[in-house]
Structures are given as C-alpha cells and as structure tokens.
Amino acid sequence: MARPQPSGPFPPLQPGQQPTPDQIRQMQQQIAAEAQKAGISVPQYVERLKAQAQQNHQRMQMMQQQQQQAQQQQQGRQQMQQGGAQPGQQVPIAPGPPKPEALAVAAFLRSQNLKLRTCIFQEKRKDMFKVKRAIRALHSPAYEKARKKNSLLPEVKDRVTAENTFKLLPLSLLALRVSKVDDKGHEGHAHAKKKRVKGLWTVKVEPQQEAGDEFHYVWLFEGSQWKNKLYAVGALALILAVVFFPVWPYHLRLGVWYLSMGMLGLLGLFFAMAIFRLILFLITMFAKPPGLWLFPNLFEDVGFFDSFKPVWAWHEDEKAVKRRKKDERVRKRTKRAEKAAGGGAKADTLSEKPAIEPAPANSKSITASAPATVSAQMNGKVATQQQSLAPRVEEVEDD
C-alpha cells in the first residue's frame, strides 16, 4: 500500500510529535523542489518562509489589538450611556471623532472663566487651563442652568460624574493633557539654550489623559469663529478702501491728510519725550543718585495706560527689583491664605479689641501717646506711597 503524500509543503505532524528520518528527508526534498520552482536557492527559500511566518504573526497581533481597542471603546460608550462609572472606576481614553455631547461641554467651558494662560504647543500659541477650574465650573449653578437649555450636556452629580464629563474632551480631541517641556540643549552638543519668555510654557502631550486637579490641559477646540470672520471682512474692507483712495471725495481725502499729520505729530512728541526722559535720568544720576526716571514703565511689556503709570520713580538695580518682586509674591501669597482661611484672623482681632471704657485718672498719659500713634500711622502711609512710586510690572501668578 502506497504512503499518502502530504497536502502542504511539509508532512503533517501531530502536536508534540518528533519527525522521523524519512519525514525529515521528505521535508528536505520538498523544500528543494519548491526552491527550484521559485528559481532561488534553498537557504533563500528558507529565509522567505521565515519572513512569511513573521508577517503572519505580526498580522495576528495587530488584529488582536484592534479587537481589544474596539471592546474598550464599546465598554466606555456603554458606561457613558448608563450615567457614568462607579466610584473609583476609570473610563478608558480612546480618541475618536467629536461627539455632540463633547462639543456641548467644550462650548460651555469655553464660555467660563477658567483663568487661561498662553502656552506654546506645536510651535503655536494655545490656551491652557487647570482641571480643577473646569471641574469647579461643571459643579457651578451656571452648568445646571445651561443643562436646562441644552439637553446634550451630561448630568453632573458628584466628582466621578464630573470627571467622566470632563474626559469627553480628550476622547474627542477637543482638549489634551500637557506638561511643561524643559528646553535644554541637546546632549553632547554645545547648543545654546533657547530664550524663553517668562511665564510662557512650551508644552507636550502626556500619554495618560487623567483628570487630576493640578493637571494642565490645552484647548484644541477653538469655538465659534464668527469674530475671526468679522475681522477678516473688516480687513478686506480696509484694503479695498485704501486701494480706492484716489476716487474718494475731496473732503474725505483732506480729513485723512489732517489725521495723518496729527499721528505724525504724536509720534514725534513720543520720541521727544523718550529723549527728554533719558537726558533727565543722566542728569539726576550724577546730581542725585541713583537717578530719576520719567514714566519708568514706558518701554515695558504692559498695557497702553499702564505705560504711563507711575509718572516718575527712582532707578532700581537688579537686586532691588528682585527683592521687591519677591516681597510682592509673599504678600500676594499671604493675602490668598487669609482669604482661604475665611477671615478667621480678622475675627480673632475683633474679639481681642477691648471695649470702650470711661477715661481713667491718668488720661494725660493716654493723650500724650496719641500723637505718637498718629505719627506712626502717617509714617506708614508715606512709606506705602513711596513704595507705590517704584516702577513695577505686575506678574500674573497661577493660583
């Protein structure tokens, strides 16, 4: 009886079975025949078989990962539809297309005061905020009022439902968690460190999109663009008006000429003031050190009106500026701590204040100490006023 030929490129073997010498010889003959058909050598044919097996293995792994991701997305949608997860349960973050609920939440948070700060994300300026302020906004009465008008906004009952509602933003790629990037030179190279604007972070996306209170998120959702469209229409109208300036009526062209002359006069006055303040500083620097500045914040990075406040101030060196800014930060931190305490220190001070009693026999000593108290208060006011005259640029601190 003839032995049955194998159906595949190799003789079939049972699991755990070792091939016999005849089977090994048959495998070698079949590999040689297949290699001769393909027009390549036997080692090349063996390498081709190995590459095909590796590709099949990778394809199977990718299919399994896709199936697991699809199951996680389906579980996340089911938990969202059922009204949130159980306390302490994490909802998987799997990015997808924007959902109507996520767009509604993003539009609401965009309209709230989240104390945004500007950051550099992918070489573009973006708005950044803290998670705790977004969670606070979702617990606010304004959110309940918005839910009555927009049924797409999810219900927020507690911290867990608020976090699940907030996680709709990274799920739809409307906001992503970021962290600060330390701009250092490349390792092994002598590249100089990039010049960084104070308070302006360069950020990168974090792989774990969690909702901790102190985590920072960057807005990718721009919201309504009607303002930008309006600005574009205005810019186009201005360009057309400049192009058609020769056909304007005579009175309009005459008015534009007077306006331009006025602007040139203001510009010349500004340069004259800048030269005068420099001359005044040089004179006072030798006559009465350390020198007097007129409009010390004129060229600082502040607003238009703040550039002319205060009117004058004495010159400060770098150490004095650093010391003053440090004192201001300590004072602001102390003020925030007092506000957080709920005015407990003020209540204690009021409770310790003695009640008004009739004047005792030694009223002369009390009357004599009154001028000293008044003079001390006046000295404190004068010192405060002198300190307020120093040039300052307010620093915006993140709570």
Side-chain angles (χ1 to χ4, degrees):
M1 185 175 179
R3 179 180 297 175
Q5 295 297 328
S7 57
F10 301 106
L13 297 174
Q14 298 296 330
Q17 181 182 358
Q18 297 292 333
T20 62
D22 294 338
Q23 290 176 340
I24 293 174
R25 193 182 309 109
Q26 189 177 0
M27 290 180 187
Q28 293 175 350
Q29 293 176 358
Q30 191 165 1
I31 290 174
E34 294 291 338
Q36 187 177 3
K37 287 181 182 180
I40 57 177
S41 62
V42 174
Q44 292 177 350
Y45 182 73
V46 172
E47 294 296 330
R48 180 186 294 182
L49 291 179
K50 290 181 180 180
Q52 291 177 357
Q54 187 175 3
Q55 291 178 358
N56 293 332
H57 180 67
Q58 293 177 355
R59 193 179 297 111
M60 292 295 296
Q61 287 183 346
M62 291 177 61
M63 292 176 61
Q64 291 178 358
Q65 292 178 359
Q66 291 177 358
Q67 291 177 357
Q68 291 178 359
Q69 291 179 359
Q71 291 177 358
Q72 291 178 357
Q73 291 179 0
Q74 186 176 3
Q75 291 177 0
R77 294 192 191 98
Q78 291 177 357
Q79 290 176 355
M80 286 295 181
Q81 292 176 357
Q82 293 175 1
Q86 298 296 329
Q89 186 176 358
Q90 297 291 336
V91 177
I93 299 296
K99 299 180 181 179
E101 298 85 355
L103 291 173
V105 174
F108 169 77
L109 292 178
R110 265 296 196 180
S111 63
Q112 300 299 307
N113 183 17
L114 302 183
K115 293 186 179 180
L116 302 176
R117 61 181 301 177
T118 305
C119 64
I120 302 299
F121 177 68
Q122 295 180 353
E123 299 182 356
K124 295 181 181 179
R125 288 178 178 258
K126 295 288 184 179
D127 293 331
M128 185 175 62
F129 63 95
K130 275 190 177 181
V131 175
K132 66 179 182 180
R133 297 193 180 95
I135 298 297
R136 195 181 304 161
L138 293 176
H139 283 291
S140 64
Y143 183 77
E144 294 297 331
K145 187 177 180 180
R147 282 194 70 247
K148 296 178 181 179
K149 298 180 181 180
N150 191 355
S151 59
L152 293 175
L153 292 173
E155 184 180 3
V156 175
K157 297 179 180 179
D158 50 12
R159 172 73 185 197
V160 177
T161 55
E163 287 187 4
N164 292 335
T165 302
F166 177 78
K167 287 180 181 179
L168 290 173
L169 301 179
L171 279 169
S172 299
L173 298 179
L174 300 177
L176 293 176
R177 182 193 164 198
V178 293
S179 61
K180 184 178 179 181
V181 176
D182 190 7
D183 294 333
K184 294 182 178 180
H186 300 292
E187 295 182 359
H189 300 276
H191 296 303
K193 190 175 181 180
K194 295 182 179 180
K195 187 176 181 180
R196 184 179 63 86
V197 181
K198 187 173 183 179
L200 192 63
W201 288 6
T202 301
V203 297
K204 65 178 180 178
V205 178
E206 287 292 327
Q208 300 296 332
Q209 298 293 310
E210 300 176 355
D213 283 343
E214 298 301 324
F215 292 157
H216 290 86
Y217 272 71
V218 63
W219 275 117
L220 303 180
F221 174 73
E222 299 296 338
S224 179
Q225 299 295 321
W226 65 270
K227 288 185 179 180
N228 294 337
K229 295 178 181 177
L230 185 62
Y231 294 153
V233 172
L236 181 60
L238 182 61
I239 293 173
L240 291 176
V242 173
V243 170
F244 289 99
F245 179 76
V247 299
W248 282 22
Y250 173 75
H251 296 289
L252 289 179
R253 286 183 290 169
L254 185 62
V256 170
W257 183 83
Y258 281 121
L259 183 61
S260 61
M261 290 298 103
M263 294 297 295
L264 287 176
L266 289 176
L267 187 60
L269 182 62
F270 177 80
F271 281 108
M273 181 178 60
I275 296 173
F276 174 75
R277 69 191 290 269
L278 179 60
I279 295 173
L280 179 64
F281 171 72
L282 293 176
I283 294 174
T284 55
M285 183 176 64
F286 295 102
K288 192 175 181 180
L292 182 68
W293 280 111
L294 183 66
F295 301 121
N297 291 330
L298 187 63
F299 296 104
E300 297 293 337
D301 187 12
V302 293
F304 176 77
F305 295 102
D306 293 335
S307 299
F308 300 94
K309 296 179 183 179
V311 178
W312 63 274
W314 294 104
H315 178 69
E316 290 181 324
D317 56 358
E318 294 183 0
K319 293 183 178 180
V321 172
K322 291 181 180 179
R323 191 183 307 110
R324 176 173 53 80
K325 290 182 178 181
K326 183 178 179 181
D327 295 339
E328 289 180 358
R329 287 195 294 268
V330 172
R331 186 172 64 256
K332 289 180 180 179
R333 199 176 297 116
T334 305
K335 190 180 295 183
R336 285 198 298 269
E338 291 178 355
K339 288 182 179 180
K346 184 177 180 180
D348 295 340
T349 305
L350 292 175
S351 62
E352 293 177 359
K353 186 176 180 180
I356 299 175
E357 297 179 356
N362 56 350
S363 57
K364 294 183 179 180
S365 60
I366 298 177
T367 305
S369 63
T373 306
V374 173
S375 61
Q377 294 177 355
M378 291 299 294
N379 291 333
K381 291 182 179 180
V382 171
T384 306
Q385 291 177 357
Q386 290 179 353
Q387 186 177 3
S388 65
L389 294 175
R392 73 176 71 185
V393 178
E394 296 294 338
E395 294 182 352
V396 179
E397 293 188 356
D398 199 6
D399 294 339

